[in-house]
Amino acid sequence: MKDKIVLITGGSRGIGRAAAEQFINSGATVIIIHSNPNVKIDIPVARAIVADVSDETAVKNAIDSIVSEFGRIDILVNSAGIAIDKEWDERTVADFKKTLDVNLIGTYIISKYVGEIMMKNKSGKIVNVSSTSGLNDFSPYAVDYNASKCGQISLTKSLALQFSPFVNVNAVAPGWVDTDMNKDLPADYLEGEAQKVCLKRIAKPSEIASIIKFLASDDASYINGTTIIADGGRL
């Protein structure tokens, strides 16, 4: 990863932050995009850009500024995501749209512009952070999240075709991960979910980040349009 230019969305926390740390430790130049201007970035990234990934103009401006400064983007990790935890009867159409805007449309927007740059350079890796909620772990209380993550997996396959033969596009689908996104869920609920896993625990962000780094590496040069499930062995 030495001298690679890596762009990570959602890089200020959770899986995105863990991935940023691993790329930095491997000698890459890491730029993150995050949405909270009040968050202190305490890892040595080259740049931290505050932008909403669902805002096409903001995304395009961010990418233009990155390319102007660094010349290219070698690796894109789409890790930005939200989950709105509500019961079915409390959910609104606005909630559904907001989740799709960030998790799915945001992934599309940034992949579109970064992918075009990669195609010009005839080289690149894109890794989308999806979820088992988009494959086989559905629940009515997360209907919007499930749909967004299912869409990401479909988008991964479409982008792999669109950007062939020069850009590898893959996804990782984690099960439960110990991140800020889940910190407000009841402890007994999370423990119950952990007991449904063969390993009897939920994942650490670093474990998912290792898969992301692998998919972005030359070791994964013949993996394309694929989603790797990382759920600890769901029972």
Side-chain angles (χ1 to χ4, degrees):
M1 294 297 169
K2 185 173 174 56
D3 300 325
K4 295 290 187 182
I5 308 299
V6 182
L7 174 60
I8 302 176
T9 70
S12 66
R13 63 176 192 160
I15 293 170
R17 175 194 167 97
E21 290 177 324
Q22 292 199 17
F23 281 113
I24 291 167
N25 291 338
S26 297
T29 297
V30 175
I31 303 105
I32 66 170
I33 292 178
H34 66 108
S35 61
N36 190 344
N38 298 317
V39 170
K40 181 181 179 181
I41 307 301
D42 57 1
I43 54 176
V45 296
R47 281 187 65 188
I49 301 170
V50 177
D52 178 353
V53 294
S54 67
D55 182 333
E56 184 176 9
T57 299
V59 167
K60 190 174 186 308
N61 289 341
I63 292 170
D64 287 346
S65 70
I66 292 167
V67 174
S68 176
E69 181 174 353
F70 298 97
R72 67 188 192 279
I73 297 170
D74 299 307
I75 296 164
L76 168 64
V77 179
N78 286 304
S79 185
I82 61 171
I84 300 173
D85 294 313
K86 289 183 179 180
E87 297 296 333
W88 173 270
D89 292 342
E90 297 174 348
R91 289 193 174 276
T92 66
V93 171
D95 292 333
F96 208 113
K97 287 182 176 180
K98 182 177 181 180
T99 302
L100 290 181
D101 279 346
V102 175
N103 296 358
L104 179 55
I105 296 174
T107 298
Y108 163 73
I109 292 171
I110 198 160
S111 297
K112 169 182 167 63
Y113 288 108
V114 173
E116 290 171 355
I117 293 165
M118 290 176 170
M119 287 295 285
K120 289 179 182 178
N121 294 331
K122 297 185 177 181
S123 177
K125 301 286 182 69
I126 297 175
V127 184
N128 297 325
V129 180
S130 184
S131 170
T132 53
S133 294
L135 289 167
N136 53 20
D137 191 18
F138 303 115
S139 174
Y141 77 84
V143 60
D144 50 347
Y145 185 80
N146 298 342
S148 71
K149 293 300 179 177
C150 187
Q152 274 187 323
I153 291 168
S154 176
L155 180 63
T156 296
K157 296 178 181 294
S158 296
L159 293 176
L161 287 168
Q162 177 63 32
F163 297 141
S164 66
F166 302 116
V167 181
N168 295 63
V169 186
N170 293 291
V172 57
W176 286 101
V177 185
D178 185 13
T179 65
D180 288 347
M181 185 179 287
N182 301 319
K183 68 179 182 179
D184 294 328
L185 294 174
D188 58 344
Y189 173 77
L190 289 175
E191 179 57 29
E193 291 299 303
Q195 292 307 308
K196 298 175 184 177
V197 177
C198 290
L199 298 179
K200 302 302 179 187
R201 64 177 178 85
I202 63 177
K204 296 177 288 187
S206 60
E207 293 177 299
I208 309 305
S210 294
I211 300 170
I212 293 170
K213 193 175 79 167
F214 164 69
L215 287 172
S217 74
D218 291 339
D219 290 336
S221 59
Y222 205 65
I223 300 176
N224 200 20
T226 293
T227 297
I228 294 180
I229 297 172
D231 62 359
R234 184 76 171 182
L235 298 177

